[in-house]
Amino acid sequence: DFMMQLVCLFILLYSVANIDKDKAALIAQSWREEMGLEAKVVGPLSSKTAPITMAEVPTLLREMQIVMSRFPEGGQIRITPTSDGFKIQLLYEMFDEGSSKLTRQGERMVDVVSVLLRPYMHRVKSYEVVGHTAAGEADREEGSALKLSLSRARDALAWVTRPDFATRLEVASLTASGRGLHEPVSDNADPRTRPLNRRVDFLCHVVIKPKP
């Protein structure tokens, strides 16, 4: 028992010694802001004006993770780096079967993405809203599935750019595309998980290398 306690102690000490200091600082700042102990300050990346490069993407993703933790929907959002930027996936059923109109919860999920992206709106090279479909839908044949997925992307794009939305995104920076059935995030053969494929993703493209 004594040896086991020593092992646990060493593991604890090792974990403390390897804390991500940048992430810990962001968490501490977020806690102080929420407790009203200091004025809110803009994150280090969102306060800049130069285009975001690939080298800055890891820091950007850490900032977004902190913001996501403030929303109940944050646990259903996945942000991952890509070869030319990063992808925001919404792991939630955002559309009814065969429909291109966002559900109420789908609108809420897209609102959270808008809050995440708004501080970087003028620093990201371009944004692409990508629509998807599930194999069990009424419009599941290839031609109609692609058409439906594009319609879903366009509806999500219209929602985040609506004039009365405080954190709306700008139309000029956004494009819409559809992938049909080609990129599922859950098993299309399982009726319990299939609805998660009725969704949109946000692809964010940044500058690969800064100009010399």
Side-chain angles (χ1 to χ4, degrees):
D1 290 343
F2 178 70
M3 291 301 297
M4 182 60 68
Q5 291 177 4
L6 283 177
V7 170
C8 293
L9 176 60
F10 289 141
I11 292 174
L12 177 61
L13 292 174
Y14 178 80
S15 301
V16 172
N18 287 275
I19 289 177
D20 186 326
K21 294 182 180 179
D22 291 337
K23 187 172 183 179
L26 286 170
I27 293 173
Q29 176 185 312
S30 175
W31 181 84
R32 289 194 298 269
E33 291 173 358
E34 293 301 319
M35 296 299 293
L37 299 179
E38 66 177 34
K40 292 183 182 293
V41 294
V42 181
L45 276 185
S46 56
S47 63
K48 298 178 181 179
T49 57
I52 293 173
T53 65
M54 283 299 297
E56 295 176 294
V57 167
T59 301
L60 182 149
L61 298 190
R62 287 197 294 269
E63 290 184 7
M64 287 188 171
Q65 291 289 346
I66 297 301
V67 176
M68 281 196 310
S69 67
R70 302 175 183 177
F71 294 90
E73 298 84 359
Q76 296 163 311
I77 299 176
R78 178 188 300 160
I79 308 179
T80 55
T82 61
S83 61
D84 65 345
F86 59 97
K87 176 193 293 187
I88 300 179
Q89 288 184 308
L90 307 178
L91 308 180
Y92 196 88
E93 179 185 1
M94 303 175 65
F95 300 87
D96 291 328
E97 185 172 347
S99 172
S100 62
K101 182 175 175 55
L102 286 164
T103 61
R104 197 175 289 263
Q105 180 63 29
E107 292 173 348
R108 175 62 180 163
M109 297 292 292
V110 174
D111 281 349
V112 175
V113 173
S114 185
V115 172
L116 291 175
L117 293 179
R118 176 71 180 184
Y120 314 98
M121 194 70 217
H122 299 288
R123 299 195 56 212
V124 171
K125 185 178 179 181
S126 63
Y127 299 90
E128 182 181 356
V129 186
V130 184
H132 302 274
T133 61
E137 300 179 17
D139 292 347
R140 62 177 176 268
E141 294 183 4
E142 182 59 20
S144 57
L146 285 172
K147 181 178 179 181
L148 177 60
S149 64
L150 178 58
S151 296
R152 287 177 171 172
R154 287 173 173 167
D155 189 69
L157 190 154
W159 183 256
V160 296
T161 57
R162 64 193 189 278
D164 60 338
F165 187 31
T167 57
R168 66 183 179 276
L169 304 181
E170 296 179 6
V171 180
S173 302
L174 292 161
T175 59
S177 65
R179 302 289 170 82
L181 305 169
H182 295 297
E183 297 179 5
V185 293
S186 61
D187 187 0
N188 265 318
D190 189 340
R192 296 170 299 178
T193 61
R194 183 188 303 147
L196 295 179
N197 294 322
R198 298 199 289 264
R199 72 189 201 281
V200 295
D201 297 334
F202 286 75
L203 294 180
C204 306
H205 308 287
V206 304
V207 176
I208 303 299
K209 292 182 179 180
K211 292 182 179 180

